[in-house]
Amino acid sequence: MPTAPPGSPSLLAFPQPRTCPHQPPPGYDALRGQGPLAKVALYDGRDVWLVTGYAEARALLSDPRLSSDRTRPGFPVLAPRFRASVARKLPLIAQDPPVHDVHRRLLNPEFSLKHVRAMRPQVQEIVDRFIDRMLEKGPPSDLVADFAVPVTSLVVSRLLGVPVEDQSFFQDATSRLMRATEAGPSQQAGGELAAYLDRLVTRLRTEPGDGVLGRLASQEVEEGRLPHDELVQIALVLLVAGHETTASMIALGTIALLEHPERLAELRADPDVLPGVVEELLRLLAVTDLAGSRVAVEDIAIAGHTIRAGDGVLVSGTLANRDPDVHADPDVFDPKRAGRSHLTFGYGIHQCLGQNLARLELELAFRSLFTRIPTLRLTVPAAELPVRGTDTGTIQSADHLPVTW
Amino acid sequence: MPRVTADRERCLGAGQCAYSAPDVFDQDDDGLVTVLDPAPPRHRLASLRQAADLCPSGAVRLEEAAETP
């Protein structure tokens, strides 16, 4: 297993390479049993804390002595693309209170449980549309390109108020932004998205339509409470965060369900188990891998260690979700676990804004896929699917998922 | 009887409480927590504990053994 670059000979390197898109990296076995916090080495040779205990992760993610501000010196940089300025000045994700809270409160209305549940018929219609197309075209199909990505991108577009005709542009630009292994191409793709959203926000200020961006452009920006450029940046974050992660969950969750035919049979027999299945898939797959990246602004004593001001702190959702103190047999796929005790949506003030929408999309996607295409199966073993390299960061995903039926 | 309170200044609208205990918590038009039933029946305790445990901002508070007024 890879260890650290020169300078930190004894520490495990982070991120660790994957061998299978829907399993944790094999190197994580060495981190288990090291206690709730361990030191790991980043590609640039820097040592940072990796938090793997569930209780310690929650305590730290709600601790105001840790900052999310990626422009602070000492903020951990996981891969070259995160050095791009487009990845460092993100509203919501990379800002602390009070600015974070102002932006979050602007967005909360449309992301509430009630509002999202009212979108159920629209989401179902979008899910059905792409299953119709797969069935019309016939097998084989790429479940990522033909279903997961277009469904999640159309849903987030509908919520935000991004025109349907611009889908293919921003799917392509998002893909380039997230998969770049260097800062340059990532910055280029981010710049194209920002330029597009700048024009869109300008138009929405006078022609708002019925999405979140239209409401914010025509009210908050027009009335001078929110700068135009801040809304453009917020839109960029929502668009990117809103579909890549959920699309990855659809693809990887499909693999996990197909590899557990007994769980799939239970799901077909009783649709009421679906929310538990989705929650268990979220716990095990934790597609972003990290539940948070922070830098300490004061010393913090925790679990017998002292995190010093200026230290980088990474919270491993993958390992915290498999903390044996919280979940018995943590590697077992068991939809009957109660409690939604996982950090896949993070914790603390930065917990995922779109979690209610993600749950709805996942429920409708899995239910519809496996009832409408009951013989759905992979054409290659999951372990042979390509994995993303550690030079893109930690997000786990299947970029292609060949299926037949 | 259990007592619940929710701090709307701390709330960030994740919706964990309304998902866990929909007969006790709701989100208003701003997406922020509202308490529908501040003194829910004891048989709701499991869902109330979940709501308090999962609230990411610490806005939801549960007093399990509050005195009946």
Side-chain angles (χ1 to χ4, degrees), chain A residues 58 105 108 113-114 339-340, chain B residues 8-9 11 16 27 53:
Chain A
R58 293 210 329 174
R105 282 174 181 242
N108 276 331
L113 199 55
K114 218 177 337 191
R340 306 204 306 279
Chain B
R8 287 169 56 86
E9 295 300 311
C11 177
Q16 298 277 11
Q27 288 169 284
D53 176 57

Side-chain angles (χ1 to χ4, degrees), chain A residues 160-238:
Chain A
L160 296 184
V162 174
V164 173
E165 58 269 23
D166 299 330
Q167 299 297 303
S168 59
F169 158 71
F170 82 72
Q171 283 171 23
D172 171 67
T174 305
S175 173
R176 286 186 283 124
L177 179 76
M178 304 292 280
R179 286 166 187 73
T181 55
E182 299 293 338
S186 198
Q187 183 71 28
Q188 166 73 26
E192 289 173 31
L193 276 169
Y196 163 74
L197 290 167
D198 182 25
R199 293 192 298 275
L200 178 64
V201 167
T202 300
R203 194 171 80 227
L204 292 173
R205 287 171 67 165
T206 51
E207 302 165 37
D210 60 359
V212 181
L213 297 182
R215 173 175 67 81
L216 295 177
S218 65
Q219 296 175 20
E220 302 300 322
V221 177
E222 274 300 295
E223 292 165 22
R225 291 186 294 271
L226 178 69
H228 174 98
D229 289 350
E230 273 182 33
L231 182 55
V232 171
Q233 291 298 312
I234 289 171
L236 181 62
V237 168
L238 295 179

Side-chain angles (χ1 to χ4, degrees), chain A residues 314-329:
Chain A
L314 304 173
V315 178
S316 172
T318 298
L319 288 170
N321 289 356
R322 293 165 189 252
D323 184 336
D325 288 344
V326 180
H327 297 289
D329 297 323

Side-chain angles (χ1 to χ4, degrees), chain A residues 54 58 62 104-105 108-109 111-114 117 275 279 338-341 347-352 355-356 359 363, chain B residues 8-20 26-32 50 52-58:
Chain A
Y54 179 78
R58 293 210 329 174
S62 48
R104 175 97 186 197
R105 282 174 181 242
N108 276 331
F111 288 89
S112 75
L113 199 55
K114 218 177 337 191
R117 283 182 175 162
E279 223 57 46
R340 306 204 306 279
S341 301
Y347 192 74
I349 61 166
H350 291 278
Q351 192 176 61
C352 181
Q355 61 180 297
N356 298 313
R359 286 189 173 100
E363 284 189 23
Chain B
R8 287 169 56 86
E9 295 300 311
R10 296 181 75 103
C11 177
L12 54 87
Q16 298 277 11
C17 56
Y19 190 25
S20 301
D26 196 3
Q27 288 169 284
D28 66 7
D29 289 345
D30 292 328
L32 298 181
Q50 186 179 57
D53 176 57
L54 292 183
C55 174
S57 62

Side-chain angles (χ1 to χ4, degrees), chain B:
Chain B
M1 188 175 282
R3 284 298 188 95
V4 295
T5 54
D7 183 344
R8 287 169 56 86
E9 295 300 311
R10 296 181 75 103
C11 177
L12 54 87
Q16 298 277 11
C17 56
Y19 190 25
S20 301
D23 42 359
V24 177
F25 302 98
D26 196 3
Q27 288 169 284
D28 66 7
D29 289 345
D30 292 328
L32 298 181
V33 60
T34 55
V35 177
L36 302 173
D37 182 359
R42 182 155 287 278
H43 69 268
R44 289 275 181 261
L45 257 184
S47 63
L48 298 174
R49 283 182 187 137
Q50 186 179 57
D53 176 57
L54 292 183
C55 174
S57 62
V60 170
R61 293 293 165 114
L62 169 65
E63 253 185 276
E64 295 204 8
E67 295 295 320
T68 311

Side-chain angles (χ1 to χ4, degrees), chain A residues 107-360:
Chain A
L107 295 161
N108 276 331
E110 282 89 349
F111 288 89
S112 75
L113 199 55
K114 218 177 337 191
H115 192 275
V116 163
R117 283 182 175 162
M119 288 181 68
R120 189 181 186 96
Q122 296 176 54
V123 176
Q124 183 68 60
E125 185 274 319
I126 291 169
V127 164
D128 281 333
R129 189 190 315 169
F130 288 96
I131 295 179
D132 287 344
R133 285 188 195 172
M134 281 171 63
L135 291 171
E136 277 162 26
K137 200 183 84 185
S141 184
D142 176 357
L143 197 75
V144 173
D146 294 339
F147 183 74
V149 167
V151 164
T152 55
S153 107
L154 262 184
V155 170
V156 76
S157 299
R158 184 73 59 86
L159 182 66
L160 296 184
V162 174
V164 173
E165 58 269 23
D166 299 330
Q167 299 297 303
S168 59
F169 158 71
F170 82 72
Q171 283 171 23
D172 171 67
T174 305
S175 173
R176 286 186 283 124
L177 179 76
M178 304 292 280
R179 286 166 187 73
T181 55
E182 299 293 338
S186 198
Q187 183 71 28
Q188 166 73 26
E192 289 173 31
L193 276 169
Y196 163 74
L197 290 167
D198 182 25
R199 293 192 298 275
L200 178 64
V201 167
T202 300
R203 194 171 80 227
L204 292 173
R205 287 171 67 165
T206 51
E207 302 165 37
D210 60 359
V212 181
L213 297 182
R215 173 175 67 81
L216 295 177
S218 65
Q219 296 175 20
E220 302 300 322
V221 177
E222 274 300 295
E223 292 165 22
R225 291 186 294 271
L226 178 69
H228 174 98
D229 289 350
E230 273 182 33
L231 182 55
V232 171
Q233 291 298 312
I234 289 171
L236 181 62
V237 168
L238 295 179
L239 206 52
V240 174
H243 84 276
E244 271 266 331
T245 47
T246 316
S248 296
M249 267 303 301
I250 290 174
L252 299 177
T254 299
I255 298 174
L257 283 167
L258 289 171
E259 290 198 339
H260 293 85
E262 67 290 359
R263 300 284 91 82
L264 193 51
E266 288 166 9
L267 176 61
R268 288 195 173 109
D270 178 9
D272 288 349
V273 305
L274 189 54
V277 168
V278 166
E279 223 57 46
E280 181 67 345
L281 290 171
L282 287 165
R283 182 185 74 84
L284 283 172
L285 296 172
V287 291
T288 61
D289 194 9
L290 290 180
S293 306
R294 305 283 189 269
V295 60
V297 292
E298 290 177 39
D299 290 359
I300 301 170
I302 186 162
H305 298 280
T306 302
I307 298 171
R308 297 284 175 200
D311 284 358
V313 178
L314 304 173
V315 178
S316 172
T318 298
L319 288 170
N321 289 356
R322 293 165 189 252
D323 184 336
D325 288 344
V326 180
H327 297 289
D329 297 323
D331 296 327
V332 173
F333 178 24
D334 176 9
K336 293 194 177 63
R337 294 179 202 274
R340 306 204 306 279
S341 301
H342 64 71
L343 301 180
T344 297
F345 292 124
Y347 192 74
I349 61 166
H350 291 278
Q351 192 176 61
C352 181
L353 175 69
Q355 61 180 297
N356 298 313
L357 185 62
R359 286 189 173 100
L360 176 69

